Every structure is written in structure tokens, then in C-alpha cells.
Amino acid sequence: MTQTTSDQDALKGGRYLPIAEHGLIGDLRSVALVGTDGTIDWYCCPCFDAPSVFGSILDAERGGCFELAAAIPARTKQFYFPDTNVLLTRFFTEDGVGEVQDFMPVDSGSVEAKRHRLIRRVLCVRGSIPFRARVAPRFDYGALPHTLRMVGDVAVFDSGGLSLALTATVPLEVDGPDARADFKLAEGEAAVFALDQVGGEVAPRSCACAEAERQFTATVAYWRNWLSASRYRGRWREMVHRSALTLKLLTYAPTGAIVAAPTTSLPEQLGGERNWDYRYVWVRDAAFCVYALLRLGFTGEAQAFMEFVTRHVSPGEVKPAGPLQIMYGIDGRTELPERELAELEGHQGSAPVRVGNDAAEQLQLDIYGALIDSIYLYDKWAQPVSSDQWDNVCALVDWVCEHWDQPDEGIWETRGGRKNFLYSRLMCWVAIERAIRMAHRRGLPADLPRWRECRDTIYRRIHSRGWSQARQAFVQEEDGDVLDAAVLMMPLTKFVAPTDPKWLATLDALTQDLVSDSLVYRYDRVASPDGMRGDEGTFSICSFWYVEAMVHAGRVDEARLAFEKMLTYANHLGLYAEEISHTGEQQGNFPQAFTHLALISAAFNLDRALG
């Protein structure tokens, strides 16, 4: 990715970088987004769903940021240090070449892990370059004032509930509530900035160039050691491994939670209202992540998520929406009240900015299938589930047998009323079918006659009421005629043979109505109102599902072309948001676990088909 300073200003409209113009760093507790201009404009401390400290991606004036860039006109390029989540932003000027190395050390130590250290190391590799830095935190989404005091060479930002300490190897200046530094580096020279959470057991600590070098080396070694466990050796190794590294960044090490995305309210349409908080554990998304990571050989993350589920899912405690909530906080909490931050203008003026998510209270029956399928795969590919875990599975399946035929809000979390969605029926079938497989393979106790009867009833219901004679396709809801890309999961879950004439007719119908140059829309919003205003782009997970469906249908050449086209929509680092606009821009929260896990699965199955 190459841009001039004037190009960047044009893209920002003077204020914002596009969503895709960012890289991601993290420490398995939180992340920071680093723009191609060298600015950190999103960072929540001390965890994913904490209020933002830097949030200028959502409000350029009030959100706060950490700027670090060449002080003269420069072209920039951004890339990851190979096989790691260490991000490098290079500045090419008339006077020389410099780079900023951004990373967050991954530390499991009880005290140092609480430091949440963010390191920015600046180097001049050719010539000499003047740099400027401005550290302007705005606590609690910009709502909470703070004080700034210098303690020796350390700048301490204190908001009352959270204190951050900034140390640097160059002099810092106080500029109102912000800290600044202007400095010049000659070839071979370096400067280091380190931002720590301090308080309690964690005292401010400087980060000299030698320590930054040690932490850089240790962080590189951590990521490379983690990635070395991957079993993927296919054609798209770089993209698959970048997706795996991204999914790992979205895990919360203290509990085993996996967040859907590390951001909130990045718009699905510029100027639209489809702006949601994704910094939570969606059972569906996390379960699919487990599948993708297990495919590659990463069992530790699967085990950690299974332990999260065991701790926080109690089938005996049945709530109005069932024993399983669609999402949880990263600490397992169930209350995620949604509110709007009216004082923030939103990314490029896309309001409202929301924190929390009321969809947590929705009924989405498909999550039972997603979770039990991931447990089935964990039992098969990692280690056998325990007797207590099996008892929980049985309780969940028994509940599904009682409640599968209810209308619900569905996979897309519509806010236009409950319907009898086919996808929800499909995944209820998956929940029961996978549990039956586990019981047979391991001889586990289960009410198999009842389970089999219910499984078969759902199967026949889908074929009788989910099939539209008029459309010659499986459709979004029972007795309807609207197409929905979620049905692409039918052959992927082994519900229908991938060459079944009814399925091939469905695939053709989806191609005609919902596919645009390999990109797939979720559904026709005009024919199926979802309770929200505004348009949306194509949904990237659906585009990768489409690739897989074509692979299974034997249309391998078409699948490969569609897959290669999808790769061109990644950003300069191989990262994806949730959606792609009609002009090819990334839309929605970024990066999106859903998209990256689907890329891994599509690549794996396409590789296998190509031989």
C-alpha cells in the first residue's frame, strides 16, 4: 500500500482514514488499530470491550489518538513483520526512509500482563528524517476528562479510573491535555515510545531502546512459535496464515473468549444507522472460529473456548430465549445493555455510535447447531469431551427438540420481527445430528429414539416448507419466496448432497439474484424488510460460503476464480471488514472474525479439491 500525504488527506476528507487503511496489533487482551498514516485511532484499555482511550476513528475531534509520523511529506507503506502480528509503517521522504514498528508484548505474567504495554519504535534506515508525535488520549469514549502530569521523564495521564504512563527516549512536552515530541533521527538511530496502564502493582517503567529491542524479539518469537503449529501447506498460505493470526488476536486470553470483531459502530454503510458493537462473544462466530482453528491444527484456542462455554453456559438455567444466549461479554457476563453515544459523530459522520448490544436478548435458534457442531469437532479432532460436558450437550439438544419450530430473529439478527427462518431450522437439525454422531462414536448415553425422530421431522419440514416451487430454490423462511445466502450452509453442514438437483437449482438461483462478480449479498432487503433503514454491502462470509458451495458442487474452476477475486478485496495487509461496498471499499467492523474464518475454510476445501 503506497500513499502520499496529500492522498491520505484526500481519503480522510481531512479527518478520517477509510476503514481498510488500518493494521491491527494486540496482546490477547485488547487491540489497537494503526492507520497507514502512522496514527493509532482505536485502542481500548485494558480489554476489548472497555471504553476507548484512542477513538478518533469514531470521532476525529473528540475521540483521541496517538500520532507518530514523519514531519515532512512522505509516501507510506505498511506491512507485517513476516509471520507475526508486529506491524511496520514505512515513511519514504526526499530526505530518507524511516519506519515505525508497532507491537504489544504478549505476557502471561500476572503483573506484567496488567501493564498492557503498547510499544512504538521509530527507526531511520536511510538518510535523516524529522518526526513528530502527539499522544492525545480521550478516556471513556471521549466523555471523561483527564489530567496530565510529568513525573520525571514520564507523562502520566490520569482519568481517575484509569491511568496511562507514556515513556519515551526523546524529550516529551506538555501541550494542554496532550503530550508532544518533535525529534530528528539520522540513519541508524532509533526512538522508542511506550504506553502502559499503571496503578496498583504496576508502576511506571521506562522502555529504553535495548529493552524495546528485547521485547520486539520476544514478541516476534511468540507469534512465530504460535503459527508454527499450523498444518496448512496449501496454495494460499500467506492469506490463510494472516487470517489465523487475526483470529488469534481476537481471543481474550484470560477467559478463552473470542470476539466477533475488536471495534464498535464502524458503519455497514457510510452515513447509515447499521452501526453495531461487535466486541463480544457471539456463540455462532466463536464456534465457527473453533472449526477454522481446529482445521489448521490449533487445539489450544478450541480448548480455551470450550472451557469458557462450560463455565458460562448452564443448560439448567433456562431464560426466555433459551438456555444459550446468543452473545456474552468477554468475562461471561450476560447483560450487555445497548446505548448510543450522541456526543460522537461516528466514522465519517456515520451516527449513531453504539456501545453494548441489545441483540443479546434475541432468540436465534441456529446458535445451538453452531455450538454443538464445534463441540463435535473438538471431540473428534482435539480431545474427548468430559462427562459433564456431555451432560450439558444432552440438555441443550433436549431443549432444541422441544423448541426448534419457534419463529426467531435468525442469523442476521433482524429487528423486524421473528420469522420461521430456514437457516434456524437447518442448524437445529445440525445440533441434533452432531450429538447423535457423538453418542454413536463414543457410546455415550442419550435419548436416541427421540433425537432421531426430531432430526428427521426437521429434515422433512425443511424440504416441504423451505423449498419454493415458484423460485425452484430453498428460501429464507418457511412458505416464502425470498432468497437468502445463509442457505449456502446446507451442503456445508451435510444436510443436502452438494449435487442434489434441488440444491444445484438453489445455487443457480442464488447466483442470479444475490451474487455480483463473486460477491454475495445476504438477502433482498426490499423483498424482506429487516427493520433497519439504509443499504448494506455484500457480506464477505457469504462470498466465501459461495466458494465452498461451488467446490462441493464440482464447480471447482468457478470456485477458484471467485476465491481469487475475493482475495483482491482484502486490504493491503490481507485483512477484511464485515462487508464490501459497491465500489469495493471495506465496510463494517474491522477486522471481522466471520470473514477470516470463512476464508480459512474456503481455502482448505478448495485446496483439497484442486489436489
Side-chain angles (χ1 to χ4, degrees):
M1 185 72 202
T2 305
Q3 294 176 331
T4 65
T5 301
S6 60
D7 289 335
Q8 291 171 351
D9 288 342
L11 281 169
K12 296 171 77 172
R15 302 169 73 231
Y16 291 97
L17 280 178
I19 292 168
E21 295 295 314
H22 291 86
L24 188 75
I25 60 172
D27 63 356
L28 309 184
R29 286 161 176 80
S30 187
V31 301
L33 292 186
V34 185
T36 52
D37 60 357
T39 297
I40 294 177
D41 55 16
W42 183 252
Y43 175 53
C44 298
C45 185
C47 56
F48 289 107
D49 57 2
S52 64
V53 172
F54 302 133
S56 59
I57 198 170
L58 294 179
D59 193 306
E61 305 302 326
R62 301 179 185 86
C65 63
F66 188 157
E67 299 174 355
L68 181 56
I72 56 177
R75 294 177 297 111
T76 66
K77 291 186 177 181
Q78 197 174 57
F79 66 100
Y80 279 110
F81 200 79
D83 295 335
T84 76
N85 281 316
V86 174
L87 187 65
L88 278 63
T89 306
R90 308 202 94 196
F91 297 87
F92 298 83
T93 76
E94 293 293 330
D95 298 332
V97 179
E99 70 181 35
V100 176
Q101 300 172 347
D102 285 308
F103 61 98
M104 295 171 70
V106 180
D107 199 316
S108 59
S110 58
V111 174
E112 279 305 297
K114 296 177 182 178
R115 187 174 293 278
H116 303 287
R117 171 162 276 190
L118 194 162
I119 295 177
R120 312 199 74 185
R121 185 166 69 158
V122 195
L123 299 90
C124 181
V125 296
R126 298 180 69 183
S128 63
I129 303 179
F131 287 90
R132 64 174 182 269
R134 182 173 75 99
V135 185
R138 298 294 183 265
F139 293 86
D140 194 12
Y141 306 108
L144 192 61
H146 69 271
T147 60
L148 170 57
R149 56 191 168 89
M150 296 298 297
V151 181
D153 295 332
V154 180
V156 179
F157 304 90
D158 191 348
S159 67
L162 178 64
S163 295
L164 299 177
L166 174 70
T167 64
T169 59
V170 295
L172 295 171
E173 298 177 3
V174 174
D175 182 9
D178 306 337
R180 291 181 177 270
D182 292 281
F183 56 99
K184 189 171 186 177
L185 298 178
E187 187 170 325
E189 292 181 336
V192 174
F193 295 81
L195 188 68
D196 299 342
Q197 180 186 5
V198 294
E201 303 171 272
V202 182
R205 192 183 74 208
S206 64
C207 186
C209 288
E211 180 177 354
E213 175 66 29
R214 287 194 297 272
Q215 300 235 26
F216 177 90
T217 301
T219 304
V220 166
Y222 173 85
W223 289 114
R224 288 183 167 175
N225 180 65
W226 181 81
L227 191 60
S228 67
S230 170
R231 294 198 299 254
Y232 183 78
R233 300 292 183 270
R235 294 166 177 80
W236 297 282
R237 188 173 178 182
E238 184 174 349
M239 288 297 291
V240 167
H241 281 174
R242 177 51 51 201
S243 291
L245 284 162
T246 302
L247 293 182
K248 179 63 174 175
L249 275 180
L250 302 185
T251 62
Y252 183 62
T255 66
I258 306 173
V259 299
T263 56
T264 180
S265 300
L266 294 183
E268 296 177 18
Q269 178 196 19
L270 288 181
E273 66 173 349
R274 296 169 181 269
N275 315 321
W276 312 110
D277 193 345
Y278 279 10
R279 298 170 299 159
Y280 306 115
V281 187
W282 264 256
V283 169
R284 175 194 311 111
D285 300 43
F288 285 170
C289 281
V290 166
Y291 163 78
L293 292 170
L294 282 172
R295 268 290 186 206
L296 299 179
F298 298 107
T299 59
E301 291 68 29
Q303 180 176 351
F305 177 66
M306 291 302 161
E307 291 171 354
F308 176 89
V309 170
T310 300
R311 283 194 303 272
H312 299 296
V313 176
S314 301
E317 300 176 12
V318 179
K319 300 178 180 180
L324 192 59
Q325 191 161 298
I326 76 160
M327 74 179 86
Y328 297 83
I330 55 175
D331 56 358
R333 70 188 187 280
T334 57
E335 301 295 326
L336 304 171
E338 183 177 304
R339 61 190 175 96
E340 296 183 1
L341 304 181
E343 65 277 9
L344 298 183
E345 72 170 13
H347 179 73
Q348 297 195 33
S350 302
V353 171
R354 296 183 175 95
V355 295
N357 201 309
D358 282 346
E361 299 176 3
Q362 289 188 352
L363 173 64
Q364 296 178 21
L365 293 168
D366 65 281
I367 61 176
Y368 293 88
L371 178 61
I372 293 175
D373 187 50
S374 70
I375 295 172
Y376 161 76
L377 293 172
Y378 177 74
D379 182 80
K380 181 179 180 181
W381 291 344
Q383 65 181 36
V385 297
S386 68
S387 56
D388 287 343
Q389 288 172 322
W390 176 246
D391 287 343
N392 287 342
V393 168
C394 290
L396 292 175
V397 173
D398 287 339
W399 188 89
V400 170
C401 287
E402 289 286 339
H403 298 90
W404 66 268
D405 60 348
Q406 298 181 70
D408 70 346
E409 275 87 6
I411 180 177
W412 306 132
E413 294 172 6
T414 58
R415 299 196 178 195
R418 293 180 177 179
K419 299 179 181 179
N420 293 312
F421 289 108
L422 182 150
Y423 182 79
S424 299
R425 303 285 184 266
L426 169 69
M427 296 307 287
C428 285
W429 177 89
V430 169
I432 302 168
E433 197 275 339
R434 298 304 191 264
I436 291 173
R437 287 195 197 192
M438 291 173 66
H440 278 306
R441 191 177 71 249
R442 292 189 49 203
L444 297 170
D447 190 353
L448 290 175
R450 182 193 185 206
W451 289 6
R452 280 193 292 263
E453 181 181 3
C454 189
R455 176 198 63 185
D456 296 348
T457 299
I458 298 173
Y459 178 91
R460 300 191 187 287
R461 174 84 160 259
I462 290 174
H463 277 280
S464 63
R465 297 182 60 185
W467 170 261
S468 168
Q469 286 291 344
R471 297 304 304 269
Q472 285 294 292
F474 290 105
V475 289
Q476 183 180 68
E477 60 177 300
E478 292 182 351
D479 307 319
D481 291 316
V482 176
L483 297 179
D484 189 319
V487 304
L488 286 164
M489 284 291 286
M490 294 179 76
L492 277 53
T493 58
K494 304 184 187 305
F495 176 87
V496 65
T499 54
D500 186 303
K502 291 170 73 174
W503 171 249
L504 293 178
T506 301
L507 188 56
D508 290 339
L510 292 170
T511 300
Q512 181 174 342
D513 280 29
L514 297 182
V515 179
S516 173
D517 189 39
S518 82
L519 301 178
V520 182
Y521 290 94
R522 292 191 292 179
Y523 48 85
D524 183 342
R525 289 190 52 257
V526 175
S528 179
D530 56 16
M532 298 297 297
R533 296 188 302 272
D535 294 324
E536 63 178 19
T538 55
F539 225 69
S540 293
I541 188 175
C542 298
S543 300
F544 285 120
W545 283 349
Y546 181 63
V547 169
E548 273 203 70
M550 288 197 294
V551 168
H552 291 302
R555 302 174 182 179
V556 179
D557 288 341
E558 296 173 60
R560 183 170 189 176
L561 180 60
F563 185 77
E564 294 286 1
K565 285 182 178 180
M566 269 301 296
L567 297 187
T568 70
Y569 289 101
N571 83 342
H572 57 289
L573 299 168
L575 303 179
Y576 290 87
E578 185 174 31
E579 302 180 15
I580 296 169
S581 76
H582 71 281
T583 58
E585 298 296 319
Q586 304 257 7
Q587 296 182 152
N589 285 307
F590 174 89
Q592 177 83 350
F594 240 4
T595 307
H596 286 280
L597 64 89
L599 184 155
I600 291 171
S601 184
F604 185 91
N605 286 288
L606 184 53
D607 264 318
R608 187 165 56 183
L610 289 168

